[in-house]
Amino acid sequence: MGLVQLSAIIFTVIAFLGSSTQAQPEAKFKCSTTNATCHALIDYKNPNATTLRYIQTLFNVKHLQDILGANNFPTNTTGNYSVGPNEAIKVPFPCKCNNGTGLSNLVPLYTIKAGDGLYDIATTTFAGLVKYPQIQVANNISDPNKIITGHKLWIPLPCSCDEVGGESVVHYGHLVESGNSVEGIADKYGTTQQVLLTLNGISDPKTLQAGQVLDVPLKACSSSVRNDSLDFPLLVANATYIYTANNCVKCKCDSSNNYILQCEPSSQFKPTKWSTCPSTQCSSNLFIGNIKSTDSCNSTTCDYAGYTSKNISTVLATHSTCAAAAPSGSDPGSGASRSTLQGWVWSNLFIVIHFILFSVYLF
Ligand SMILES: *[C@@H]1O[C@H](CO)[C@@H](O)[C@H](O)[C@H]1NC(C)=O
Ligand SMILES: *[C@@H]1O[C@H](CO)[C@@H](O)[C@H](O)[C@H]1NC(C)=O
Ligand SMILES: *[C@@H]1O[C@H](CO)[C@@H](O)[C@H](O)[C@H]1NC(C)=O
Ligand SMILES: *[C@@H]1O[C@H](CO)[C@@H](O)[C@H](O)[C@H]1NC(C)=O
Ligand SMILES: *[C@@H]1O[C@H](CO)[C@@H](O)[C@H](O)[C@H]1NC(C)=O
Ligand SMILES: *[C@@H]1O[C@H](CO)[C@@H](O)[C@H](O)[C@H]1NC(C)=O
Ligand SMILES: *[C@@H]1O[C@H](CO)[C@@H](O)[C@H](O)[C@H]1NC(C)=O
Ligand SMILES: *[C@@H]1O[C@H](CO)[C@@H](O)[C@H](O)[C@H]1NC(C)=O
Ligand SMILES: *[C@@H]1O[C@H](CO)[C@@H](O)[C@H](O)[C@H]1NC(C)=O
Ligand SMILES: *[C@@H]1O[C@H](CO)[C@@H](O)[C@H](O)[C@H]1NC(C)=O
């Protein structure tokens, strides 16, 4: 018996065992606007201790600070930072919608090593975030036993650029842990069980399984970024930060300041593409992030408004500060988003369509 036949049999047996222990279907997120692009997040968990550098390389993340921001790690954390066994790290990546679903936009590219099989690449190297048939289809591989050492494989990660409940969100592929409930995950990430069920085409929350990749919409901050800016739409998820404008501006999103994006000039990292950062001023002595004036209910600030190949735009904007402080006890930001999200669920036909697609998928 030749080596090829032997490996074919082993592959089939492994694939069979794999399919019986991993009953959950491959993750496929709905993404309706063809060719829309955006940033998305996905969990990565390695059973062994590893480093941020390893994760950055595996997923082809351009700058380490993109991973630091997505996980809200201190900006001076280095690539040597050790990640504990099974510690979930959020990996940022570019997403593109095509034919109703979102996939990572031609990244990560994985170089096949001697002895690699598609099943192991999907299950072990990429921690089950994709199933091997998805890699096969994405790379137009007719025979999964014939992959060539040194060739690059596109690993298609699930993602979406869709709004949820009429609001811009960052879609986060959350790796379900054993013991997690849909409601628990919804609470943790500021959404509702109903939104998660609808978005993921789940009819019975009890069917949730460890290892499943759930589409979790994270609230994103509103910003003054112009639609002709190179980083439009600048969607920064709650409790994360990013560096933009070629590293010259740092923006963070959190529940303080009413979920309005807060940006400031940054000299933490060398600018990319520019030798020095262009002006980040609204006027003399008034820089991005500075407050010009405040009165009882409004605050006028110098906001980041985007960038071009040549310069950084700023705008003086007035934001209401009262809504943030008004009601006692509850958080008005998340309260408002919950009710609009719930309204959306009931009014949206996508439930029906998604269930049909989901059933077709099981066969
Ligand atoms: C999406 O992009 C592809 C390639 O650039 C193009 O051929 C196609 O027409 C675009 N589709 C839509 C709906 O814009
Ligand atoms: C990072 O900066 C903080 C203070 O901002 C400091 O306490 C910490 O030791 C620094 N860590 C490293 C690895 O330099
Ligand atoms: C990482 O650690 C190695 C040795 O442990 C050291 O040589 C290297 O400079 C460190 N890199 C960074 C970015 O801290
Ligand atoms: C688009 O999706 C439909 C069903 O989801 C499928 O039948 C069709 O083959 C897909 N088209 C392409 C070009 O992938
Ligand atoms: C974890 O370590 C084991 C033993 O060294 C190895 O077989 C396995 O491939 C490692 N897993 C990953 C994802 O690197
Ligand atoms: C996929 O591969 C087959 C042959 O294996 C080839 O005929 C076909 O054109 C390829 N399709 C794409 C989209 O590359
Ligand atoms: C934003 O993040 C904070 C801190 O993690 C959390 O307390 C808050 O509930 C989140 N808000 C929303 C709307 O997700
Ligand atoms: C961009 O914003 C301007 C107003 O700021 C608006 O007039 C224009 O239609 C917008 N363009 C697009 C493509 O949305
Ligand atoms: C505060 O903002 C509101 C709406 O943005 C506006 O109607 C009001 O006139 C502003 N008040 C002051 C004092 O600027
Ligand atoms: C920035 O550059 C654009 C074109 O690249 C130009 O229209 C605009 O006036 C510039 N803004 C500033 C503040 O220089």
Side-chain angles (χ1 to χ4, degrees):
M1 186 161 54
L3 206 60
V4 173
Q5 284 101 316
L6 185 65
S7 69
I9 292 169
I10 292 171
F11 185 84
T12 312
V13 170
I14 290 174
F16 175 76
L17 290 175
S19 64
S20 60
T21 53
Q22 299 194 343
Q24 73 268 32
E26 52 198 45
K28 221 177 168 185
F29 296 176
K30 184 183 182 286
C31 198
S32 41
T33 314
T34 296
N35 289 350
T37 56
C38 63
H39 289 283
L41 299 169
I42 197 160
D43 273 341
Y44 170 77
K45 259 201 228 174
N46 192 313
N48 306 325
T50 186
T51 61
L52 288 183
R53 175 97 52 230
Y54 172 84
I55 298 173
Q56 184 192 353
T57 306
L58 182 64
F59 286 89
N60 308 151
V61 179
K62 267 195 201 129
H63 304 114
L64 180 69
Q65 58 264 33
D66 296 338
I67 297 183
L68 302 184
N71 292 277
N72 217 3
F73 287 162
T75 55
N76 60 0
T77 311
T78 68
N80 285 355
Y81 178 88
S82 66
V83 177
N86 286 315
E87 184 184 340
I89 296 293
K90 292 195 190 81
V91 179
F93 66 94
C95 178
K96 185 170 184 180
C97 300
N98 187 26
N99 200 23
T101 52
L103 293 176
S104 51
N105 196 1
L106 303 181
V107 286
L109 289 177
Y110 175 79
T111 306
I112 300 169
K113 296 198 296 274
D116 269 346
L118 279 195
Y119 178 80
D120 290 323
I121 293 171
T123 310
T124 308
T125 310
F126 285 92
L129 298 175
V130 289
K131 305 286 175 232
Y132 81 87
Q134 293 174 289
I135 302 180
Q136 195 183 340
V137 170
N139 294 276
N140 193 25
I141 295 169
S142 49
D143 183 353
N145 295 301
K146 289 182 185 156
I147 56 172
I148 299 160
T149 304
H151 277 200
K152 286 190 186 333
L153 287 177
W154 166 39
I155 309 298
L157 303 170
C159 59
S160 177
C161 297
D162 284 0
E163 292 190 343
V164 173
E167 290 186 0
S168 296
V169 296
V170 174
H171 287 263
Y172 159 44
H174 176 72
L175 204 51
V176 176
E177 294 177 26
S178 63
N180 277 176
S181 68
V182 179
E183 188 149 34
I185 294 168
D187 278 352
K188 182 166 180 191
Y189 296 104
T191 182
T192 67
Q193 167 164 293
Q194 194 56 58
V195 166
L196 291 185
L197 294 178
T198 306
L199 209 53
N200 292 279
I202 298 172
S203 47
D204 179 2
K206 292 195 197 72
T207 60
L208 193 72
Q209 288 183 37
Q212 196 174 338
V213 184
L214 207 62
D215 183 358
V216 175
L218 300 179
K219 186 174 180 65
C221 275
S222 64
S223 80
S224 301
V225 173
R226 296 151 51 127
N227 59 16
D228 57 359
S229 169
L230 290 174
D231 56 4
F232 179 85
L234 184 63
L235 294 179
V236 183
N238 179 33
T240 72
Y241 65 84
I242 59 135
Y243 285 86
T244 187
N246 295 330
N247 274 345
C248 291
V249 175
K250 181 190 178 190
C251 300
K252 66 169 181 170
C253 174
D254 60 36
S255 55
S256 72
N257 206 28
N258 223 5
Y259 295 105
I260 297 164
L261 194 66
Q262 290 170 280
C263 301
E264 62 186 28
S266 170
S267 52
Q268 174 97 21
F269 300 103
K270 230 170 73 70
T272 54
K273 296 192 179 146
W274 289 324
S275 50
T276 54
C277 292
S279 162
T280 52
Q281 284 165 292
C282 285
S283 56
S284 60
N285 291 328
L286 196 64
F287 288 85
I288 288 174
N290 292 162
I291 297 171
K292 182 165 188 269
S293 60
T294 45
D295 58 39
S296 55
C297 251
N298 296 337
S299 169
T300 299
T301 53
C302 174
D303 280 8
Y304 169 66
Y307 76 106
T308 65
S309 58
K310 293 196 179 75
N311 60 31
I312 291 176
S313 307
T314 60
V315 65
L316 272 179
T318 301
H319 303 289
S320 165
T321 51
C322 285
S328 59
S330 72
D331 177 351
S334 61
S337 76
R338 274 173 205 218
S339 54
T340 47
L341 292 180
Q342 256 160 358
W344 167 79
V345 164
W346 299 114
S347 64
N348 209 312
L349 223 128
F350 147 58
I351 305 173
V352 178
I353 296 168
H354 208 115
F355 280 172
I356 293 169
L357 287 178
F358 186 70
S359 322
V360 168
Y361 217 67
L362 291 177
F363 293 94

